[in-house]
Amino acid sequence: MTTNQLTTAIANTLTQHFHDIPNHPASTPSEKGITYRLLSAQLTRERSDRFVQSHAFEIRWLNPNDIPATLPDELFEALETIDVEGTPYRATEMRWETENDTPRMLVYYTMRTTKVSESAATMQQLEQRPTALKVTRE
């Protein structure tokens, strides 16, 4: 799974659960709605064939003076498990915090992946053709 696939899944989830509220990347200027942005992405090798992918996202409500009372619970419910191209991914950590008097939600997704070793080439079918045997006498 790529970081772009995960980011797209978060955008799709926000659209599905908050269809009346605009959502967009934090890099897009706006005054209303919900923004999301990737804070960090990390790939760490545990063993030669095992890796850990960690992603941290920030979700913000753009009007801090008009936050719906149910928004925190609805965001937790929507982002706890997201669908990334047919595979469900569950957040490993979700929390609200305040930065410069503006609330934000931090969501962390951690996945373990295993590098699949290439399988040996399978036997191929041999084709056998009868050949004429030429016999010579001396």
Side-chain angles (χ1 to χ4, degrees):
M1 180 204 44
T2 67
T3 301
N4 287 338
Q5 289 170 316
L6 185 58
T7 304
T8 299
I10 287 175
N12 291 342
T13 300
L14 291 172
T15 300
Q16 289 170 359
H17 285 83
F18 304 98
H19 53 314
D20 294 338
I21 301 170
N23 72 75
H24 44 82
S27 60
T28 305
S30 183
E31 295 179 9
K32 292 185 178 182
I34 299 171
T35 63
Y36 56 90
R37 75 178 177 128
L38 176 69
L39 294 177
S40 67
Q42 186 176 6
L43 179 67
T44 307
R45 181 186 298 258
E46 283 189 328
R47 295 188 324 223
S48 63
D49 64 339
R50 190 169 169 160
F51 299 87
V52 177
Q53 292 180 356
S54 301
H55 296 87
F57 286 89
E58 174 189 73
I59 313 295
R60 286 187 186 260
W61 179 260
L62 290 178
N63 187 351
N65 299 323
D66 186 28
I67 298 175
T70 59
L71 182 68
D73 291 335
E74 290 174 5
L75 280 172
F76 272 101
E77 187 176 313
L79 296 171
E80 182 179 26
T81 302
I82 61 172
D83 183 305
V84 181
E85 297 185 1
T87 303
Y89 285 96
R90 188 177 179 114
T92 52
E93 183 179 348
M94 302 172 80
R95 70 174 186 260
W96 277 97
E97 63 179 40
T98 303
E99 181 182 72
N100 300 328
D101 294 330
T102 303
R104 68 180 185 163
M105 180 182 196
L106 299 176
V107 184
Y108 299 86
Y109 296 94
T110 303
M111 282 76 57
R112 284 188 160 64
T113 57
T114 303
K115 182 179 178 182
V116 178
S117 59
E118 294 181 24
S119 60
T122 57
M123 284 192 77
Q124 297 181 1
Q125 185 174 353
L126 295 176
E127 187 176 315
Q128 198 172 26
R129 292 184 205 160
T131 57
L133 181 60
K134 187 176 182 181
V135 178
T136 56
R137 290 194 176 160
E138 294 183 19

